[in-house]
mmCIF file of all heavy atoms in Angstrom:
data_model
loop_
_atom_site.group_PDB
_atom_site.id
_atom_site.type_symbol
_atom_site.label_atom_id
_atom_site.label_comp_id
_atom_site.label_asym_id
_atom_site.label_seq_id
_atom_site.Cartn_x
_atom_site.Cartn_y
_atom_site.Cartn_z
ATOM 1 N N ALA E 169 185.173 184.833 40.938
ATOM 2 C CA ALA E 169 184.665 185.510 42.138
ATOM 3 C C ALA E 169 185.701 185.489 43.263
ATOM 4 O O ALA E 169 185.847 186.467 44.006
ATOM 5 C CB ALA E 169 183.369 184.853 42.595
ATOM 6 N N MET E 170 186.440 184.398 43.359
ATOM 7 C CA MET E 170 187.473 184.302 44.402
ATOM 8 C C MET E 170 188.581 185.324 44.149
ATOM 9 O O MET E 170 189.119 185.925 45.085
ATOM 10 C CB MET E 170 188.063 182.893 44.435
ATOM 11 C CG MET E 170 187.108 181.846 44.974
ATOM 12 S SD MET E 170 186.937 181.910 46.774
ATOM 13 C CE MET E 170 188.197 180.726 47.245
ATOM 14 N N ALA E 171 188.912 185.524 42.871
ATOM 15 C CA ALA E 171 189.983 186.472 42.536
ATOM 16 C C ALA E 171 189.567 187.906 42.857
ATOM 17 O O ALA E 171 190.421 188.783 43.057
ATOM 18 C CB ALA E 171 190.353 186.342 41.058
ATOM 19 N N ALA E 172 188.257 188.139 42.933
ATOM 20 C CA ALA E 172 187.775 189.494 43.234
ATOM 21 C C ALA E 172 187.874 189.817 44.729
ATOM 22 O O ALA E 172 187.621 190.942 45.145
ATOM 23 C CB ALA E 172 186.326 189.642 42.769
ATOM 24 N N ILE E 173 188.233 188.805 45.528
ATOM 25 C CA ILE E 173 188.346 189.032 46.977
ATOM 26 C C ILE E 173 189.788 189.347 47.339
ATOM 27 O O ILE E 173 190.707 188.625 46.936
ATOM 28 C CB ILE E 173 187.907 187.763 47.764
ATOM 29 C CG1 ILE E 173 186.439 187.436 47.474
ATOM 30 C CG2 ILE E 173 188.164 187.930 49.259
ATOM 31 C CD1 ILE E 173 185.979 186.104 48.067
ATOM 32 N N THR E 174 189.989 190.416 48.092
ATOM 33 C CA THR E 174 191.301 190.673 48.684
ATOM 34 C C THR E 174 191.139 190.338 50.162
ATOM 35 O O THR E 174 190.454 191.061 50.875
ATOM 36 C CB THR E 174 191.695 192.154 48.516
ATOM 37 O OG1 THR E 174 191.497 192.494 47.150
ATOM 38 C CG2 THR E 174 193.135 192.395 48.924
ATOM 39 N N PRO E 175 191.721 189.244 50.602
ATOM 40 C CA PRO E 175 191.404 188.776 51.957
ATOM 41 C C PRO E 175 192.142 189.536 53.054
ATOM 42 O O PRO E 175 192.737 188.931 53.949
ATOM 43 C CB PRO E 175 191.799 187.294 51.913
ATOM 44 C CG PRO E 175 192.885 187.225 50.897
ATOM 45 C CD PRO E 175 192.628 188.325 49.892
ATOM 46 N N ASP E 176 192.059 190.872 52.995
ATOM 47 C CA ASP E 176 192.714 191.697 54.012
ATOM 48 C C ASP E 176 192.094 191.455 55.378
ATOM 49 O O ASP E 176 190.876 191.308 55.493
ATOM 50 C CB ASP E 176 192.538 193.184 53.671
ATOM 51 C CG ASP E 176 193.458 193.603 52.545
ATOM 52 O OD1 ASP E 176 194.413 192.838 52.261
ATOM 53 O OD2 ASP E 176 193.200 194.652 51.933
ATOM 54 N N GLY E 177 192.928 191.433 56.388
ATOM 55 C CA GLY E 177 192.439 191.376 57.765
ATOM 56 C C GLY E 177 191.943 190.014 58.183
ATOM 57 O O GLY E 177 191.328 189.864 59.235
ATOM 58 N N VAL E 178 192.202 188.998 57.363
ATOM 59 C CA VAL E 178 191.687 187.678 57.710
ATOM 60 C C VAL E 178 192.404 187.117 58.951
ATOM 61 O O VAL E 178 191.855 186.317 59.694
ATOM 62 C CB VAL E 178 191.751 186.728 56.480
ATOM 63 C CG1 VAL E 178 193.127 186.178 56.260
ATOM 64 C CG2 VAL E 178 190.727 185.618 56.588
ATOM 65 N N GLY E 179 193.611 187.600 59.174
ATOM 66 C CA GLY E 179 194.342 187.228 60.398
ATOM 67 C C GLY E 179 194.922 185.833 60.350
ATOM 68 O O GLY E 179 194.860 185.144 59.336
ATOM 69 N N GLU E 180 195.511 185.430 61.480
ATOM 70 C CA GLU E 180 196.131 184.103 61.581
ATOM 71 C C GLU E 180 195.060 183.078 61.906
ATOM 72 O O GLU E 180 194.162 183.357 62.694
ATOM 73 C CB GLU E 180 197.143 184.099 62.738
ATOM 74 C CG GLU E 180 198.392 184.904 62.485
ATOM 75 C CD GLU E 180 199.245 184.299 61.390
ATOM 76 O OE1 GLU E 180 199.545 183.083 61.463
ATOM 77 O OE2 GLU E 180 199.598 185.048 60.446
#
Side-chain angles (χ1 to χ4, degrees):
M170 289 284 268
I173 298 173
T174 310
D176 284 344
V178 79
E180 289 293 309

